[in-house]
Amino acid sequence: MTPVYMAAGDIPTPHIEYGRLAPVLIVLGAACVGVLVEALAPRAQRYGLQVLVSVVGLVAAFAWTIALGIGDQPHHVAAMGAVGVDGPTLFIQGTILVLALMSMLLIAERRHEDSPFTAQASTVPGSPEERESLVAGLVQTEIYPLVLFAVGGMLIFPAANDLLTMFVALEVMSLPLYLLCGLARRRRLLSQEAAVKYFLLGAFSSAFFLYGTAMLYGFAGSVRLSEIAAAISKQGGDEPLLLAGVALLSVGLLFKMGAAPFQAWKPDVYQGAPTALTALMASCTLVAAVGGVLRVFYVGLETLRWDWRPMMWAVAILTMLVGAIVAITQTDVKRMLAYSSIAHGGFLLTGVIATNKAGLSSTLFYLAAYGFTTVGAFAVITMVRDAGGEAGHLSRWAGLGKRQPLVAGTFAFFLLAFAGIPLTSGFTGKFAVFQAAMAGGAMPLVIVGVVSSAIAAFFYVRVIVLMFFSEPLADGPTVSFSPATATAVAVGAFVTLVLGVIPAPALHLAQSAANQLFVR
């Protein structure tokens, strides 16, 4: 089986190259500037300055990522060998930056009230202080540097060339998200409950990741992925420390993906968090998590694939079935999409299990296609509102297609893409990962994937029937438009359509990235 990494001798001597780290440094630098804005700028000017700094930082980082991708030497290690810069990493980082920019359009939205986030996080829900802060029109502008710090961690996570760097990136990515989940403007108790659950379960998963790192260090004498792979080749793969370390490390990685049986946090967090932040987590966090899985299993544990593939088979099958079956029972639209995300995590693991270049390229394409569709779908959810805020219960969406056919039709299009209907990006992505899995000898896994897709199609179609073939409610929700949200929806729908009708350029880009292989 062809390795999907470059040998250490094929790359330059490890040293710090700030140009190779520029996308990460730009985002983290913008986050630091945001902290200074928060500390020094007048309150009235903070919102505009924070949005400007965030958007400029993300755009500049994306431009630099493109420049690195088209350079003459795409394979490098930087930061004394702790970070790898290669084709798959640049593809993942570019995807994260674009999706983060789309999510920032939703986070910065202020059309319904001052902000989708609470006016003052320190106030007790329902207290006089909270009402006073709402009346005063306060805005929690600290969210913007927090989002940028999280995005910076997401950029480092799939690029980390050793497990300690990956752990630091995991914490930088996760800690801001724990805080942001509890800052919803409406239903604050639900939001704070989601934040506590996410924090507690995330802390456990981080502990598993760190214990696994310690055991792998005990086995290999190093946390560098290339040296772990070399130790496995030299000593064999039946050492108790190695197997225990791989198992514990996998728990931490699979938790961030939301793969079963580590998916319990996803529905509660997606439902309780501000929807704009849910869009960020459902897209960027998943892309970063899968990128980390690819690097660890394709570089550090590639020579151990006959031991971890059976485990991944079980996790992928369980993830697809749990996500598809449990979603049928959901009555909240955000919880439904959370279980949909769990099922899609299983489809992504199908590509990972292929352990070949086709599996790598198809997984990269699937990440990009799913990310755009997800941000677009959550953007539509922010537009459908009733007197209590967003219309979360599915019964409130009855007859929406008769009142607002354009919005309902767009949401139906996103749901069809999730289901994998032809002429959408979802179909192309599933076809690519299933084809790669078949080439890798995982035909039973493909059969389970097709069955899970058929099950999932039921609850997607159920929502479409509810919107277009039910009578609208007398006090039904209204649709609120704004340029920022409409832009996010339009970009998501356009990319979903293009990747379904003309997927060749994006597939070629993913294949080019995969052909450059992971650097070691």
Side-chain angles (χ1 to χ4, degrees):
M1 193 169 295
T2 304
V4 284
Y5 55 78
M6 290 190 68
D10 298 333
I11 59 176
T13 303
H15 59 286
I16 296 177
E17 290 190 29
Y18 293 107
R20 306 296 170 185
L21 299 174
V24 176
L25 297 178
I26 290 172
V27 172
L28 295 179
C32 294
V33 172
V35 173
L36 294 177
V37 169
E38 199 62 33
L40 303 176
R43 183 180 293 275
Q45 300 177 11
R46 289 177 190 171
Y47 170 76
L49 290 174
Q50 293 284 22
V51 173
L52 178 63
V53 169
S54 300
V55 172
V56 170
L58 292 173
V59 171
F62 180 66
W64 203 292
T65 302
I66 293 176
L68 290 176
I70 62 178
D72 295 332
Q73 294 180 323
H75 295 91
H76 286 267
V77 288
M80 303 302 294
V83 175
V85 181
D86 45 51
T89 299
L90 292 175
F91 186 97
I92 292 170
Q93 289 180 336
T95 302
I96 291 172
L97 289 168
V98 174
L99 296 176
L101 186 59
M102 289 180 62
S103 301
M104 188 62 70
L105 295 175
L106 306 181
I107 293 171
E109 184 57 72
R110 300 181 65 179
R111 70 184 185 279
H112 309 301
E113 53 258 318
D114 287 341
S115 169
F117 295 85
T118 182
Q120 195 168 357
S122 59
T123 58
V124 177
S127 66
E129 291 80 6
E130 183 187 36
R131 289 192 292 272
E132 290 174 4
S133 63
L134 292 173
V135 172
L138 300 181
V139 179
Q140 197 77 42
T141 51
E142 294 92 337
I143 59 176
Y144 298 100
L146 287 174
V147 168
L148 290 177
F149 277 122
V151 173
M154 295 174 194
L155 295 179
I156 300 173
F157 193 68
N161 228 16
D162 67 64
L163 294 178
L164 280 183
T165 302
M166 185 170 284
F167 175 74
V168 172
L170 176 65
E171 295 305 296
V172 173
M173 169 175 61
S174 300
L175 290 175
L177 296 179
Y178 299 154
L179 294 173
L180 291 167
C181 284
L183 300 182
R185 191 178 188 88
R186 299 179 183 270
R187 299 193 297 178
R188 287 192 63 195
L189 289 176
L190 183 65
S191 177
Q192 291 174 357
E193 178 188 351
V196 171
K197 288 180 178 178
Y198 193 19
F199 169 70
L200 291 177
L201 294 176
F204 277 115
S205 73
S206 296
F208 277 111
F209 186 96
L210 199 55
Y211 281 131
T213 299
M215 289 190 174
L216 289 176
Y217 178 80
F219 165 75
S222 173
V223 294
R224 186 71 56 82
L225 293 177
S226 58
E227 296 184 15
I228 292 173
I232 294 173
S233 299
K234 182 179 179 180
Q235 302 179 35
D238 56 353
E239 292 289 335
L241 271 180
L242 172 63
L243 298 178
V246 171
L248 293 173
L249 192 70
S250 300
V251 171
L253 292 170
L254 294 172
F255 174 87
K256 297 308 297 183
M257 279 189 62
F262 315 109
Q263 85 294 345
W265 63 274
K266 253 192 177 182
D268 292 336
V269 173
Y270 279 28
Q271 182 184 18
T275 303
L277 184 68
T278 303
L280 178 75
M281 292 191 295
S283 56
C284 298
T285 304
L286 180 65
V287 173
V290 175
V293 169
L294 287 170
R295 180 168 290 277
V296 169
F297 285 94
Y298 275 33
V299 178
L301 306 177
E302 195 274 338
T303 53
L304 196 67
R305 58 182 176 271
W306 297 117
D307 293 273
W308 61 256
R309 282 188 77 191
M311 174 196 71
M312 281 295 190
W313 271 62
V315 171
I317 291 173
L318 185 62
T319 302
M320 288 186 286
L321 292 178
V322 167
I325 294 174
V326 181
I328 297 175
T329 66
Q330 302 305 307
T331 58
D332 184 274
V333 63
K334 289 170 70 175
R335 291 184 70 89
M336 182 194 74
L337 291 185
Y339 281 104
S340 169
S341 175
I342 293 169
H344 282 281
F347 299 139
L348 286 163
L349 288 177
T350 303
V352 174
I353 290 170
T355 58
N356 52 35
K357 288 184 180 180
L360 178 57
S361 65
S362 62
T363 303
L364 295 177
F365 177 86
Y366 199 118
L367 287 172
Y370 176 75
F372 281 101
T373 306
T374 298
V375 175
F378 281 105
V380 173
I381 293 175
T382 66
M383 300 169 66
V384 182
R385 308 180 68 83
D386 53 24
E390 294 168 359
H393 201 280
L394 283 174
S395 62
R396 304 292 296 166
W397 291 63
L400 184 66
K402 298 179 179 179
R403 287 187 170 184
Q404 297 289 342
L406 179 60
V407 173
T410 304
F411 191 64
F413 178 64
F414 288 135
L415 293 179
L416 293 175
F418 287 140
I421 301 301
L423 301 183
T424 66
S425 60
F427 172 80
T428 309
K430 288 183 179 180
F431 182 84
V433 295
F434 289 164
Q435 187 179 46
M438 290 173 60
M443 175 61 76
L445 198 60
V446 174
I447 295 174
V448 174
V450 173
V451 173
S452 300
S453 297
I455 296 173
F458 169 77
F459 61 83
Y460 295 131
V461 173
R462 182 185 63 179
V463 177
I464 296 173
V465 171
L466 181 68
M467 291 191 297
F468 287 96
F469 298 98
S470 299
E471 290 300 320
L473 301 174
D475 59 342
T478 59
V479 174
S480 179
F481 292 92
S482 75
T485 304
T487 300
V489 173
V491 171
F494 176 77
V495 174
T496 300
L497 179 62
V498 169
L499 294 184
V501 178
I502 316 173
L507 285 171
H508 177 72
L509 182 62
Q511 289 168 358
S512 299
N515 287 336
Q516 293 175 12
L517 310 179
F518 281 112
V519 71
R520 298 185 65 181

